[in-house]
């Protein structure tokens, strides 16, 4: 089975998947000694190697449980998110939506690519926004909120493009003509965050 380095290589090779593709990665060692990998497990020999990181947030929209069943003002880290919203001008419900998809409110999570914390910041982004300790929830949220603020400014307050840039990097969005890049995860990520945002925004309105 592949090493962590091989899995990272696979992620880069399988990035331009269709929007409907399974985000999990499967693999098996063939009789010829060749390792085979796919996001479509169409052979019974395939075994799950890397789980789809968007699966929990997708499932939470269908059947909200636990933290995902709460209005955003009752969710973990709401005070820190509210403070980051005030300092950045980014809607608190949008920050909650990003955290819902990125980390599911798990503040110590680290992705295979090295993104850390509630907002899943890459090390270079954390440094750019002065975050010394990526595992600090308040600092992680604040840095992610200010990064998202700058992406919204860069893309004329187009939330879809800002989210695409948050997931794939601003250069990827610019390189593809200021459109959502044709990467499977990004094309799934943007509508998923927006669905959580719509749901949170609706639930936060007075009844």
């Amino acid at each position: 089975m592949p090493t962590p380095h091989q899995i990272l290589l696979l992620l880069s090779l399988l990035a331009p998947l269709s929007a409907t593709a399974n985000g999990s990665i499967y693999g098996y060692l063939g009789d010829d000694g060749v390792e085979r990998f796919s996001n479509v497990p169409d052979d019974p020999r395939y075994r799950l190697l890397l789980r789809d990181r968007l699966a929990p947030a997708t499932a939470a929209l269908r059947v909200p449980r636990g933290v995902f069943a709460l209005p955003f003002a009752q969710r973990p880290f709401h005070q820190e998110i509210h403070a980051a919203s005030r300092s950045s001008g980014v809607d608190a419900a949008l920050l909650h939506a990003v955290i819902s998809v990125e980390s599911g409110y798990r503040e110590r999570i680290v992705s295979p690519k090295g993104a850390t914390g509630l907002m899943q910041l890459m090390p270079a982004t954390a440094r750019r926004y002065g975050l010394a300790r990526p595992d600090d929830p308040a600092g992680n949220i604040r840095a992610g909120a200010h990064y998202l603020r700058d992406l919204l400014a860069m893309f004329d307050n187009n939330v879809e493009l800002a989210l695409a840039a948050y997931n794939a990097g601003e250069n990827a969005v610019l390189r593809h003509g200021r459109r959502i890049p044709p990467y499977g995860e990004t094309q799934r990520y943007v509508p998923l965050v927006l669905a959580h945002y719509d749901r949170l925004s609706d639930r936060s309105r007075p009844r």
Side-chain angles (χ1 to χ4, degrees):
M1 286 295 101
T3 65
H5 175 75
Q6 288 173 314
I7 289 177
L8 288 177
L9 178 60
L10 283 170
L11 285 171
S12 65
L13 292 174
L14 294 176
L17 303 173
S18 72
T20 58
N22 183 350
S24 299
I25 296 176
Y26 304 82
Y28 72 89
L29 183 64
D31 295 337
D32 54 4
V34 176
E35 291 178 329
R36 291 175 171 80
F37 306 100
S38 177
N39 66 307
V40 182
D42 55 3
D43 186 296
R45 291 173 290 179
Y46 275 117
R47 295 292 179 267
L48 179 66
L49 300 177
L50 192 66
R51 192 173 301 278
D52 176 11
R53 79 179 190 94
L54 301 183
T58 302
L61 286 175
R62 293 194 296 267
V63 185
R65 292 193 178 98
V67 67
F68 295 108
L70 297 173
F72 73 70
Q74 297 176 22
R75 293 191 178 189
F77 308 107
H78 178 67
Q79 293 305 315
E80 292 86 349
I81 292 168
H82 186 57
S85 173
R86 288 201 313 269
S87 67
S88 66
V90 177
D91 188 355
L94 180 56
L95 295 177
H96 272 284
V98 170
I99 289 172
S100 296
V101 176
E102 288 286 354
S103 65
Y105 295 89
R106 294 170 292 172
E107 72 264 35
R108 299 192 183 279
I109 191 170
V110 180
S111 80
K113 293 183 179 180
T116 57
L118 292 163
M119 298 288 285
Q120 286 291 278
L121 299 176
M122 293 298 289
T125 304
R127 288 193 299 271
R128 191 194 319 175
Y129 288 89
L131 181 59
R133 290 182 49 230
D135 62 340
D136 168 38
N140 190 282
I141 294 167
R142 183 172 56 253
H146 283 256
Y147 178 39
L148 191 53
R149 174 203 62 191
D150 291 346
L151 292 174
L152 285 164
M154 178 180 293
F155 295 107
D156 303 318
N157 287 316
N158 184 311
V159 177
E160 290 188 0
L161 293 184
L163 291 173
Y166 194 94
N167 177 258
E170 55 262 46
N171 289 333
V173 176
L174 294 171
R175 191 165 59 247
H176 287 89
R178 299 176 76 87
R179 295 184 178 88
I180 298 174
Y183 307 150
E185 178 175 294
T186 306
Q187 293 194 353
R188 294 172 60 224
Y189 174 89
V190 171
L192 183 57
V193 174
L194 289 175
H196 277 270
Y197 184 31
D198 288 345
R199 183 173 180 275
L200 287 165
S201 297
D202 180 65
R203 292 192 65 170
S204 69
R205 294 186 191 115
R207 299 296 183 188

